[in-house]
Amino acid sequence: MGEVVEIREDKKARSGSTSSPSSEPYGNVPASHGIPKTNIAQPQKETFWQRVKKPGSVWQNIIVALLAIAIGLIVITQVEEVHPAAIAITAIPGTLWLRALRAVVLPMIVTAMIMAIQRLRAMTQGDGKADKLARRLIGYYVVTTFTAVAHSCLLVGLVWSKLMQTVSGEQLAVSEEDQETINERKDVAIHDVVVDMFNSLVPQNVVNALATDSLLAVLVTAVVVGYVIKPGGALMRAAEEVEVIIMRIITVLINLAPIGVFFLIMPNLFRLDIAEIGMNLGILIGRTLVGMALHLFIIIPIIFFAITRKNPYTLWSKCSPAWITAWGTASSAATLPVTIRCVLERGNADFLIGVPVTVTKFAVPLGCLINMDGTAIYFPIVVVFLAATQGITLNAADYIIVVLFSTLASIRTTPIPSSSLVLTVMIAGSIGVPITGMYAVVVAIDWFLDRFRTAVNVSCDTFAAVIVTKITGIKDGDGETQYTEELNASPDSLREVPARGEEKV
């Protein structure tokens, strides 16, 4: 420290004067303090245009989404019918982008769960943090799903069902083609759903589970492998290398997100026939959106603020790339790479709540598969819609059955577009509601509402990661790399950090 003082004295002698506060950023610091004066370069704040120009930025996604909606609405209001060939061709770029996203989901789930379990084992050292994280996370997901179903049933029973109108016999008629589909879906018994849910946890053939996109079975297998794999071994190093490769691919796909989102939204709007949206269908759409808005902007934020004491809307806006992508793709699984990146990036840098890499890579993939709050809200609304249009009034016992089966069915629903249509028939059949021609109306509009359900599901996953981090108190180990924007240029920094005294070969 004495050398620093001598150097400073020598500089003063050469300059012939002492530094003034105007020339020194920190003013005069007495030499007796022994603290060298350092000029810290402050990062320049990006302008709005610079943020817009950044590849794959949230503003680009918002702009192209609004542009696609505007073009789609203009076309369907000016043209009687858009030719199917035009819809198919304009959807090609979006479909290719969506397929590429889905292609990285399975390897991402496998590597994320293996790395997360390994980190938990290294951090816990017998204090039960891994078990605590799993129990708290699954418990939180079940509670929020049950809450979503419960408030949806309350609103439907007390408000929305009274606005529905009984339709005529012609509208209730079912075409032969639709009747075949309904009969197939009626064959799904309640106990079969329960059995299938448990069977889906353990794959009979791991290779077949990977080939058929059995995501829940793959996740459970990855957890087991992550627990028994040798730390620092050849397989562990291979998993790290695959994770780095996946991160590089995801970076490219996220930069291409504006193109993919635009060509996913616009062709789907070409299919919308506003003339066919009657009062009942309008109420179905309106009450679905109101129920989701209540859950996303009131109920979940109250839980979030009560636990973290932070502004939930700040986190939601910072994670907008995730839920915008979810709205465009209508698939939680396809959005998973973007969701993980948003939680790591926004949680650590902007929101000032550190979301550990370990919690993120365990909570978000699991939430993608079982945390379906938007779907849970939708089930009671559709069932009551089918009942009310036939003049059927549900009693309290019926609503209890709907709550239980909707909770179970939402957990069982696969994270792919419109996968809830099959389970809707099962829930309606459990309370004796016949499937009529109005089910075709639900199917016709399901692609549109499915996008909002997916956006709610993904948004709730981001909240869950921060909440569970606060509840469990889990932190990344010493030397663990936190996610920053620099990882776009160097994804290798997400590699596992060697433990003290160990060196990777």
Side-chain angles (χ1 to χ4, degrees):
M1 191 64 72
E3 295 175 0
V4 176
V5 176
E6 289 175 6
I7 293 172
R8 185 182 302 150
E9 298 268 320
D10 185 51
K11 287 182 179 179
K12 289 180 181 179
R14 285 198 299 268
S15 63
S17 62
T18 58
S19 299
S20 63
S22 61
S23 61
E24 294 286 347
Y26 297 100
N28 294 327
V29 180
S32 59
H33 289 181
I35 303 175
K37 300 172 188 176
T38 307
N39 291 327
I40 302 176
Q42 297 293 332
Q44 293 184 349
K45 187 175 181 180
E46 291 181 336
T47 64
F48 175 75
W49 181 241
Q50 288 175 328
R51 292 196 297 269
V52 171
K53 290 194 301 180
K54 187 179 297 183
S57 68
V58 59
W59 289 107
Q60 288 184 1
N61 289 329
I62 292 174
I63 291 171
V64 299
L66 295 176
L67 183 62
I69 293 172
I71 294 175
L73 292 178
I74 291 173
V75 170
I76 63 176
T77 54
Q78 300 299 320
V79 179
E80 291 186 2
E81 182 181 1
V82 180
H83 197 280
I87 298 176
I89 292 174
T90 54
I92 289 176
T95 303
L96 293 178
W97 180 76
L98 181 59
R99 288 170 65 89
L101 268 179
R102 287 192 59 84
V104 301
V105 168
L106 270 179
M108 169 173 255
I109 289 178
V110 172
T111 57
M113 296 309 296
I114 290 176
M115 304 290 281
I117 297 299
Q118 281 288 304
R119 289 188 180 103
L120 281 171
R121 290 191 63 190
M123 287 161 34
T124 55
Q125 295 179 348
D127 61 1
K129 283 188 178 179
D131 180 62
K132 181 180 180 182
L133 173 61
R135 285 188 289 106
R136 297 290 175 85
L137 184 62
I138 294 175
Y140 172 80
Y141 285 154
V142 172
V143 168
T144 54
T145 300
F146 186 83
T147 303
V149 176
H151 76 68
S152 178
C153 282
L154 283 174
L155 277 178
V156 168
L158 297 177
V159 180
W160 302 120
S161 61
K162 296 177 173 57
L163 300 177
M164 301 299 295
Q165 297 179 350
T166 304
V167 299
S168 63
E170 292 181 358
Q171 292 177 297
L172 294 177
V174 182
S175 64
E176 294 184 3
E177 183 178 352
D178 289 338
Q179 187 61 52
E180 292 179 2
T181 304
I182 292 171
N183 290 337
E184 291 177 2
R185 294 175 178 177
K186 275 185 176 180
D187 293 337
V188 181
I190 298 172
H191 67 274
D192 290 335
V193 175
V194 177
V195 173
D196 188 40
M197 183 183 70
F198 284 100
N199 287 342
S200 65
L201 295 175
V202 181
Q204 186 174 357
N205 186 320
V206 176
V207 176
N208 182 63
L210 291 168
T212 56
D213 276 359
S214 301
L215 298 182
L216 196 56
V218 171
L219 184 142
V220 173
T221 303
V223 170
V224 174
V225 172
Y227 187 80
V228 301
I229 196 172
K230 179 183 177 181
L235 287 179
M236 192 64 198
R237 292 198 298 272
E240 293 169 1
E241 291 295 336
V242 172
E243 185 183 40
V244 171
I245 294 171
I246 293 300
M247 286 300 299
R248 289 181 176 143
I249 296 173
I250 289 171
T251 299
V252 175
L253 291 177
I254 290 176
N255 290 342
L256 296 175
I259 299 174
V261 170
F262 179 83
F263 286 103
L264 281 172
I265 294 175
M266 187 178 66
N268 277 289
L269 283 175
F270 289 162
R271 298 159 46 193
L272 183 65
D273 190 349
I274 297 179
E276 291 184 356
I277 301 179
M279 181 175 180
N280 283 337
L281 194 54
I283 293 175
L284 172 64
I285 296 172
R287 67 185 185 181
T288 301
L289 299 182
V290 168
M292 293 179 185
L294 174 66
H295 187 74
L296 180 59
F297 296 120
I298 297 179
I299 294 177
I300 294 297
I302 289 175
I303 297 174
F304 183 89
F305 180 79
I307 295 175
T308 66
R309 300 297 178 184
K310 298 292 182 180
N311 188 343
Y313 305 107
T314 300
L315 176 65
W316 186 74
S317 63
K318 294 294 184 182
C319 292
S320 54
W323 51 262
I324 289 176
T325 304
W327 197 90
T329 62
S331 171
S332 299
T335 312
L336 181 59
V338 185
T339 309
I340 289 180
R341 175 178 167 173
C342 282
V343 172
L344 288 174
E345 177 187 354
R346 306 301 175 184
N348 290 313
D350 298 332
F351 197 57
L352 303 179
I353 292 182
V355 181
V357 175
T358 304
V359 175
T360 300
K361 293 191 174 182
F362 185 84
V364 177
L366 184 62
C368 165
L369 299 178
I370 69 172
N371 188 35
M372 302 287 184
D373 291 358
T375 306
I377 294 169
Y378 183 65
F379 281 136
I381 294 174
V382 174
V383 171
V384 175
F385 170 79
L386 294 174
T389 51
Q390 301 176 67
I392 300 174
T393 301
L394 303 183
N395 56 35
D398 293 329
Y399 279 110
I400 292 175
I401 294 174
V402 170
V403 168
L404 295 177
F405 288 153
S406 296
T407 303
L408 177 64
S410 65
I411 296 174
R412 177 63 187 89
T413 303
T414 55
I416 58 176
S418 298
S419 58
S420 60
L421 291 174
V422 177
L423 296 173
T424 300
V425 176
M426 182 270 293
I427 298 173
S430 67
I431 56 174
V433 175
I435 303 300
T436 63
M438 297 307 294
Y439 180 71
V441 175
V442 174
V443 173
I445 202 64
D446 185 77
W447 66 269
F448 177 71
L449 294 177
D450 192 28
R451 300 178 182 276
F452 292 94
R453 296 200 302 266
T454 308
V456 171
N457 294 339
V458 169
S459 298
C460 291
D461 290 344
T462 61
F463 284 120
V466 180
I467 290 174
V468 173
T469 299
K470 184 69 174 180
I471 292 175
T472 60
I474 292 177
K475 298 180 180 178
D476 283 322
D478 294 337
E480 187 75 53
T481 302
Q482 296 291 333
Y483 185 93
T484 61
E485 279 294 331
E486 284 71 18
L487 288 178
N488 292 339
S490 179
D492 301 288
S493 53
L494 269 183
R495 293 172 184 260
E496 186 76 28
V497 177
R500 291 188 180 92
E502 295 180 338
E503 184 177 350
K504 290 190 179 181
V505 181

